[in-house]
Amino acid sequence: QVQLVESGGGLVQAGGSLRLSCAASGRTFSDYAVGWFRQAPGKEREFVATISRRGGTTFYADSVKGRFTISRDNAKNTVYLQMNSLNPEDTAVYYCAAGRLVIPGKGEYEYDSWGQGTQVTVSS
């Protein structure tokens, strides 16, 4: 089990950039794949991106591919989501989640630990 805390959300103009951080507790952070999910008002939570334990494998939702980049620094127990070319449709609460997965997945059920979420609002 690992505790996660997201940060870095806020208000940004369309076309702008924002970097989210997911800070984890524990000494076994490198045993966990970490994913980012988001939930917009009135919509279901959706997969955004995920990264493997060492960071060598990443997957992205089609809606963010080419704009978002997920990365991790295991020495800092932190995963990042760099978001570029933001548009109002990216407005959502963003959550990070960790699962003891060898292969990172896109399903919420694969992740055991979840952060509290951080709000991202993109103005037009």
Side-chain angles (χ1 to χ4, degrees):
Q1 188 177 6
V2 62
Q3 283 69 50
L4 306 173
V5 179
E6 302 96 334
S7 63
L11 177 64
V12 64
Q13 295 179 340
S17 298
L18 205 61
R19 188 173 82 157
L20 306 182
S21 297
C22 175
S25 65
R27 300 178 180 179
T28 58
F29 179 65
S30 61
D31 291 339
Y32 293 85
V34 176
W36 285 96
F37 298 80
R38 67 185 183 185
Q39 187 167 25
K43 296 184 178 180
E44 297 294 322
R45 187 156 57 197
E46 65 176 352
F47 167 78
V48 176
T50 187
I51 189 167
S52 60
R53 297 174 299 175
R54 293 184 177 181
T57 302
T58 58
F59 298 108
Y60 298 90
D62 289 341
S63 59
V64 307
K65 193 173 299 182
R67 300 188 298 122
F68 291 10
T69 302
I70 187 171
S71 62
R72 68 190 298 162
D73 186 341
N74 286 346
K76 297 181 178 180
N77 277 16
T78 303
V79 168
Y80 305 96
L81 184 68
Q82 178 66 47
M83 305 184 294
N84 299 326
S85 301
L86 287 163
N87 60 68
E89 293 184 346
D90 295 315
T91 295
V93 176
Y94 284 71
Y95 301 88
C96 65
R100 195 178 289 270
L101 307 170
V102 176
I103 302 174
K106 302 177 181 180
E108 297 180 27
Y109 69 92
E110 300 182 76
Y111 299 89
D112 300 313
S113 301
W114 291 76
Q116 83 290 344
T118 185
Q119 176 71 49
V120 172
T121 302
V122 184
S123 62
S124 61

